[in-house]
Amino acid sequence: MVVLTKRELEQIALPAVQLAAPPLALVPEVDLSAVEASDAARSAAARAVAKACEDHGFFKVTGHGVPAPLLARLDAAAAAFFALPQRDKDKAAAGAGGGSPPFGYASKRIGDNGDLGWVEYLLLGVTAAGAAAAPVALSEGAESSCFRDVLDEHIAAVRRMTCTVLELMAQGLGLDDEGVFSRLVLDRDSDSLLRVNHYPARPEAAGEPAEVRRRLTGFGEHTDPQIISVLRSNDAAGLEMSLRDGTWVSVPSDTRSFFVNVGDALQVLTNGRFRSVRHRVVVSSARPRVSVIFFGGPPPRQRLAPLPGLVDREGGRRRYRDFTWREYKTSAYRTKLADNRLCYFETTATS
Ligand code: GA4
């Protein structure tokens, strides 16, 4: 269970000026069910995907083909895992039977630089075959190995859908090579991750004013470093997105859909045309929120640079210098969660 001291509670509650709940987001929707059936439907979906990535950096996917019974099993298995006694969850922590930091089970701590959240989570690497590189503890015992199996099935299905979305992005950008993004995620060395978050219901017992307890930061504002993030949650809301003008909007939960957001690496590859969106999770629900996110990342050795075709369209203006994903990740893990990580890689940056 996530237990906060008074100091920690102060650190992760939103400041008073932000306490009002933000307005609901009008989330662009893309239906994937017809993309294989006709070229016209595929082009329409590709245009919608590209527009959503340019305007907002996020959208919702329906008709995704991930079976509803699999999602129900995932919900049940994740809830059962987080309901385990603390000592059992700790066995899945990095260092305790497999995995190395930052992988495994953790609570409150986000990254290495002192960020805290009202959250406990499992962070897992994804293997070349598209399965969870889980700590040993998740492979032992009947209950945990069943969790592991359902995670593997989920990863396989979501990775497939993610690649369809990445191909639509390339098509929507008018690129000749539609596999230019999906290949990076399918590469046998792809640095992809799966994160399972459990945001406990807001703590009623803490002796804090109700407004503070209602606006605890589950996961502070940040952009995702990878190419693409594909999220699904249970029916407890909490995800908030920052629009281009800086206002925050709250994303209504939808258990039947997936939410896609652009990550920093894709902002670079598209020379800033697609927007890596700042987002956060704010716990205001009396029910726990569970979210499962697939982060599609490139191989560590992969050079990231704006695609030449997209640079040409901007009159040759190149917004980011070349760097490898390994370099970017090393730099990102030195930052605090809310920092702007891309500014060190802009062509105007002095480094
Ligand atoms: C955000 C996206 C993923 O959850 C994550 C996070 C990672 C972590 O929790 O350890 C980071 C964060 C995320 C952004 C920058 C660094 C790394 C914490 C942090 C301060 C697993 C990821 O890859 O980047």
Side-chain angles (χ1 to χ4, degrees), residues 11-349:
Q11 200 185 329
I12 67 170
L14 287 180
V17 280
Q18 292 181 33
L19 283 179
L24 290 185
L26 289 170
V27 183
E29 268 185 52
V30 180
D31 181 359
L32 295 188
S33 60
V35 295
E36 299 304 333
S38 83
D39 285 350
R42 193 178 170 89
S43 308
R47 279 195 304 274
V49 163
K51 179 155 178 29
C53 293
E54 286 175 15
D55 293 351
H56 307 291
F58 71 95
F59 60 95
K60 169 164 139 172
V61 172
T62 59
H64 45 71
V66 181
L70 169 60
L71 297 175
R73 278 196 290 132
L74 179 63
D75 283 347
F81 174 78
F82 288 112
L84 288 173
Q86 190 63 46
R87 64 173 183 284
D88 292 345
K89 289 185 282 189
D90 286 341
K91 284 189 202 147
S100 56
F103 296 120
Y105 169 83
S107 157
K108 294 192 288 189
R109 196 179 50 77
I110 300 175
D112 291 336
N113 299 311
D115 293 301
L116 296 176
W118 179 242
V119 64
E120 56 180 341
Y121 61 85
L122 261 177
L123 184 59
L124 308 170
V126 170
T127 66
V136 174
L138 272 194
S139 309
E140 288 169 347
E143 228 178 286
S144 47
S145 68
C146 147
F147 187 27
R148 201 207 154 123
D149 290 348
V150 77
L151 288 173
D152 287 350
E153 263 185 76
H154 182 79
I155 291 171
V158 173
R159 193 167 75 149
R160 254 194 315 275
M161 186 250 291
T162 301
C163 288
T164 302
V165 169
L166 289 169
E167 284 161 15
L168 290 172
M169 287 177 177
Q171 183 177 344
L173 284 165
L175 300 172
D176 294 333
D177 180 2
E178 284 176 14
V180 67
F181 304 132
S182 58
R183 269 200 304 278
L184 304 179
V185 172
L186 286 177
D187 191 290
R188 56 164 293 114
D189 296 326
S190 147
D191 182 18
S192 294
L193 304 172
L194 190 80
R195 183 171 200 132
V196 188
N197 290 310
H198 175 247
Y199 301 97
R202 56 174 196 255
E204 293 302 350
E208 293 293 316
E211 328 73 87
V212 173
R213 285 188 264 120
R214 232 175 275 128
R215 301 285 293 163
L216 281 175
T217 312
F219 209 109
E221 65 174 271
H222 65 285
T223 59
D224 293 336
Q226 291 80 5
I227 298 171
I228 187 170
S229 313
V230 182
L231 172 147
R232 183 182 164 277
S233 78
N234 68 351
D235 60 355
L239 180 61
E240 297 183 356
M241 298 284 178
S242 171
L243 301 180
R244 281 195 182 270
D245 67 3
T247 52
W248 286 93
V249 287
S250 150
V251 177
S253 59
D254 178 351
T255 57
R256 287 168 311 165
S257 304
F258 282 81
F259 292 89
V260 172
N261 67 265
V262 172
D264 295 346
L266 190 54
Q267 177 166 320
V268 170
L269 291 166
T270 61
N271 203 27
R273 200 154 142 190
F274 283 3
R275 171 173 185 254
S276 176
V277 61
R278 211 157 247 274
H279 54 287
R280 67 188 180 195
V281 176
V282 177
V283 182
S284 56
S285 157
R287 275 172 304 128
R289 171 179 167 91
V290 176
S291 62
V292 181
I293 311 155
F294 173 79
F295 297 99
R301 65 179 139 73
Q302 178 67 41
R303 270 180 62 244
L304 296 172
L307 295 173
L310 297 176
V311 175
D312 291 348
R313 282 187 224 166
E314 282 197 61
R317 172 154 184 239
R318 201 187 139 123
R319 292 172 193 265
Y320 303 97
R321 63 180 172 85
D322 279 31
F323 50 91
T324 62
W325 171 243
R326 183 181 282 113
E327 258 180 89
Y328 190 67
K329 232 186 132 177
T330 307
S331 155
Y333 271 82
R334 288 200 190 109
T335 57
K336 294 271 290 174
L337 193 57
D339 290 350
N340 175 347
R341 283 173 267 287
L342 272 179
C343 59
Y344 307 111
F345 297 86
E346 287 168 0
T347 43
T348 48

